[in-house]
Amino acid sequence: SQQGEEDPQALSIQEGENATMNCSYKTSINNLQWYRQNSGRGLVHLILIRSNEREKHSGRLRVTLDTSKKSSSLLITASRAADTASYFCATGGGSQGNLIFGKGTKLSVKP
Amino acid sequence: KAGVTQTPRYLIKTRGQQVTLSCSPISGHRSVSWYQQTPGQGLQFLFEYFSETQRNKGNFPGRFSGRQFSNSRSEMNVSTLELGDSALYLCASSLVGDPGKQYFGPGTRLTVT
């Protein structure tokens, strides 16, 4: 079953703009992860944020986590055409068992 | 290190047949998980193997089974294929003690006709 929902389901922006995707989840978590999937291919791990962290950066990526609202957001700054992909949040994994994914946000970055 | 590999990459089968998919994890990774991805249901967990034992199982019928070998390579089998089994099957490996980060293979695209 799905843990939560990403919002929006699809996002289309121009190169150079920022892209923000949101994720909500239902149960308590130890951490939350974001993955990227290029069309029809495997998932690539982007960033993991632990439940005691509020914000984390990695290159052009910024992730926030609000455990009181059970939500997270992923910000991609200065988007590039190569960022075109689907982005998924996932909870669980490790000692919490299997990863549970949201339905994903499909990002299209137009050159 | 080489990444997670999956074979075959594409497969076309007929209803009622069975299929076996293979996954080789990253060297040193002992946990292997399988996921099914469809447009309607999204990414759904099938099962996880660790040290040749199934540690966790998703909500799939018994037609879906798997195993893991002593070298951590894993196979999953689907018997009596149905049209609804058409999907991208993803394998992921992870390190023991890692907080949950998984490394995914490119997937096997199964089409059932």
Side-chain angles (χ1 to χ4, degrees), chain A residues 47-94:
Chain A
I47 195 165
L48 180 151
I49 185 166
R50 298 179 191 274
S51 60
N52 61 354
E53 298 176 307
R54 291 296 167 259
E55 188 171 312
K56 198 163 183 179
H57 295 253
S58 177
R60 294 184 296 113
L61 306 179
R62 172 179 167 250
V63 170
T64 61
L65 179 64
D66 186 337
T67 52
S68 67
K69 294 181 180 177
K70 290 188 167 58
S71 69
S72 173
S73 69
L74 170 68
L75 167 68
I76 304 174
T77 60
S79 297
R80 305 166 182 168
D83 295 327
T84 295
S86 291
Y87 292 81
F88 296 88
C89 67
T91 57

Side-chain angles (χ1 to χ4, degrees), chain B residues 67-83:
Chain B
R67 59 177 175 168
Q68 186 180 34
F69 301 95
S70 58
N71 61 358
S72 293
R73 190 177 70 85
S74 177
E75 288 181 349
M76 67 162 281
N77 184 78
V78 188
S79 62
T80 319
L81 284 165
E82 300 176 0
L83 294 178

Side-chain angles (χ1 to χ4, degrees), chain A residues 1-2 31 33 35 37 40-43 45 48 50 88 92-94 97-99 101 103, chain B residues 9 35 37 40-45 56 88 90 98-102 104-107 109:
Chain A
S1 61
Q2 300 295 324
N31 62 69
Q33 305 177 53
Y35 287 81
Q37 183 180 35
R41 309 191 70 163
L43 279 73
H45 182 267
L48 180 151
R50 298 179 191 274
F88 296 88
N98 56 282
L99 287 177
F101 288 89
K103 287 200 178 271
Chain B
R9 292 291 312 279
Y35 297 85
Q37 186 177 28
Q41 298 299 315
L43 278 155
Q44 295 197 295
F45 171 74
N56 203 356
L88 181 66
L90 293 162
D98 193 284
K101 179 179 176 180
Q102 295 193 357
F104 284 80
R109 171 74 62 185

